[in-house]
Amino acid sequence: MAQLFEKSKKVIEAHLAGTSIRAISGSMVAYEGNVQFKSAGFGGGDGVIAGLKRRATGESLSLMECTGNGRVFFAVNGQHVTVVNLNNETLQVESQQLLAFAGNLRTDVSFAGLRGASTGQGLFTTTVSGVGQVALLSAGGPLIHLEVSPQYPLVVDPDAFVAARGQLSQSFITDVGWRSVMGQGGGEAFSLRWDGQGVVLIQPAER
């Protein structure tokens, strides 16, 4: 299985030994060894449904596959990077924050609710499940890990949300008075609420 490492705060290093990984197209910044690159389509599976989802989101999760022997380095716009290990788990990721994944992982695009008519973003999240590693991007600094327990549900700004793992259910709060207070009123403001047991990863800067 290919291995992902945090080469630095902002660069992911992938070790390939006759193996392959998938990464967001255009994220490769350097490589060494005998490595081939090819388009791997989109992260939401194939067929008509995936095409409809892509059009609905207005964002193309375009992937490339890197195969061979060597090392490949990935980075995107100076954003911070984090490697998350999955062991028969499911990770829900905001599609824009996904950088690369390696291992026996399945991906799908799932409905995550309308963030706002003004941006049209965040309509779908990518779910990654199985055994392997996922490299995530975060703007403004390293990812912040927030615990969720049955006694303490978590409410987050959708622009700050990056990923969630564990036995969590997501719902929406549309009465968001604090956004108006903070000068972010207007549009269809709402927040994401997480209930259950797990961890939610957020970024310090908004999209």
Side-chain angles (χ1 to χ4, degrees):
M1 186 184 299
Q3 292 288 311
L4 301 178
F5 302 93
E6 296 172 17
K7 173 69 173 174
S8 72
K9 292 179 180 179
K10 300 181 179 182
V11 178
I12 289 291
E13 178 180 342
H15 290 188
L16 301 178
T19 48
S20 65
I21 71 160
R22 284 174 289 171
I24 297 300
S25 296
S27 60
M28 189 274 288
V29 292
Y31 76 94
E32 57 187 37
N34 184 18
V35 182
Q36 290 79 43
F37 302 89
K38 69 174 183 178
S39 172
F42 295 84
D46 298 311
V48 175
I49 299 299
L52 289 173
K53 288 178 178 178
R54 288 201 300 276
R55 282 198 291 276
T57 58
E59 57 184 67
S60 57
L61 182 62
S62 180
L63 301 174
M64 62 179 178
E65 188 170 37
C66 316
T67 307
N69 292 277
R71 298 193 300 167
V72 188
F73 302 90
F74 302 95
V76 175
N77 297 333
Q79 294 190 69
H80 284 247
V81 295
T82 303
V83 173
V84 175
N85 295 295
L86 296 181
N87 185 16
N88 287 316
E89 299 171 273
T90 297
L91 187 71
Q92 301 176 59
V93 185
E94 165 68 42
S95 298
Q96 298 175 62
Q97 309 303 129
L98 185 64
L99 175 57
F101 40 99
N104 185 20
L105 295 170
R106 300 175 304 281
T107 62
D108 190 23
V109 178
S110 61
F111 186 69
L114 189 60
R115 177 183 296 158
S118 57
T119 62
Q121 298 171 331
L123 197 61
F124 292 91
T125 56
T126 299
T127 57
V128 185
S129 56
V131 178
Q133 295 175 296
V134 183
L136 302 175
L137 296 163
S138 60
L143 282 174
I144 300 164
H145 296 63
L146 299 176
E147 298 280 342
V148 181
S149 65
Q151 300 90 344
Y152 296 102
L154 179 70
V155 177
V156 301
D157 186 319
D159 280 330
F161 170 74
V162 173
R165 68 193 297 183
Q167 302 301 311
L168 294 171
S169 61
Q170 175 188 294
S171 57
F172 299 94
I173 301 176
T174 53
D175 182 18
V176 194
W178 58 267
R179 294 198 73 157
S180 305
V181 173
M182 298 301 288
Q184 297 177 352
E188 299 171 14
F190 67 85
S191 291
L192 300 178
R193 173 174 166 149
W194 298 89
D195 288 272
Q197 190 83 43
V199 177
V200 172
L201 309 178
I202 66 170
Q203 61 182 7
E206 294 191 343
R207 275 181 289 279

